[in-house]
């Protein structure tokens, strides 16, 4: 359900409802109604939400590519790269090891 997805993404971004409705310049009730499933945002608001969360509209809508991978916007990829660059060398190696292990596990199934 869209409302659950929206709330999930907001929490992933460590944002409160207030953070979001202030960034979108909308009323508290307006945004809350999206998360409660009472209303759905129009396409322009979806774009603003995607910008606010640093993801694609497809990610908000929980759409996936044909091969099952979640669509990640270039903005999100850039954010991931910047976060990675902030890590010290030892932690960067740990991240690469973790990703490698996940890929190996994924290919076994």
């Amino acid at each position: 359900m869209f409302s659950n997805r929206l709330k999930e993404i907001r929490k992933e971004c460590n944002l409160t409802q207030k953070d979001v409705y202030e960034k979108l310049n909308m009323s508290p009730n307006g945004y809350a109604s999206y998360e409660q499933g009472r209303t759905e945002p129009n396409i322009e608001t979806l774009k603003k939400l995607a910008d606010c969360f640093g993801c694609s509209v497809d990610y908000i809508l929980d759409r996936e590519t044909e091969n099952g991978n979640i669509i990640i916007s270039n903005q999100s990829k850039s954010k991931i790269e910047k976060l990675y660059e902030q890590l010290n060398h030892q932690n960067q190696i740990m991240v690469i090891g973790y990703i490698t292990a996940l890929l190996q596990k994924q290919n076994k199934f």
Side-chain angles (χ1 to χ4, degrees), residues 89-107:
H89 182 70
Q90 182 179 2
N91 287 336
Q92 287 177 343
I93 291 170
M94 288 175 63
V95 168
I96 291 169
Y98 183 66
I99 291 170
T100 302
L102 288 172
L103 289 170
Q104 289 172 346
K105 182 178 178 183
Q106 176 179 302
N107 290 332

Side-chain angles (χ1 to χ4, degrees), residues 73-90:
S73 70
N74 287 335
Q75 183 180 5
S76 292
K77 289 177 186 176
S78 177
K79 185 176 181 180
I80 292 167
E81 289 171 357
K82 287 177 184 175
L83 290 171
Y84 175 82
E85 289 170 1
Q86 292 176 23
L87 296 171
N88 64 34
H89 182 70
Q90 182 179 2

Side-chain angles (χ1 to χ4, degrees), residues 9 49-57 59-60 72-73 75-76:
I9 295 169
L49 286 165
D51 289 342
C52 177
F53 296 139
C55 65
S56 67
V57 170
Y59 187 73
I60 292 172
I72 300 175
S73 70
Q75 183 180 5
S76 292

Side-chain angles (χ1 to χ4, degrees), residues 36-52:
Q36 294 167 359
R38 290 183 283 133
T39 60
E40 291 188 356
N42 61 29
I43 190 66
E44 288 305 313
T45 304
L46 276 172
K47 290 177 186 177
K48 290 177 184 178
L49 286 165
D51 289 342
C52 177

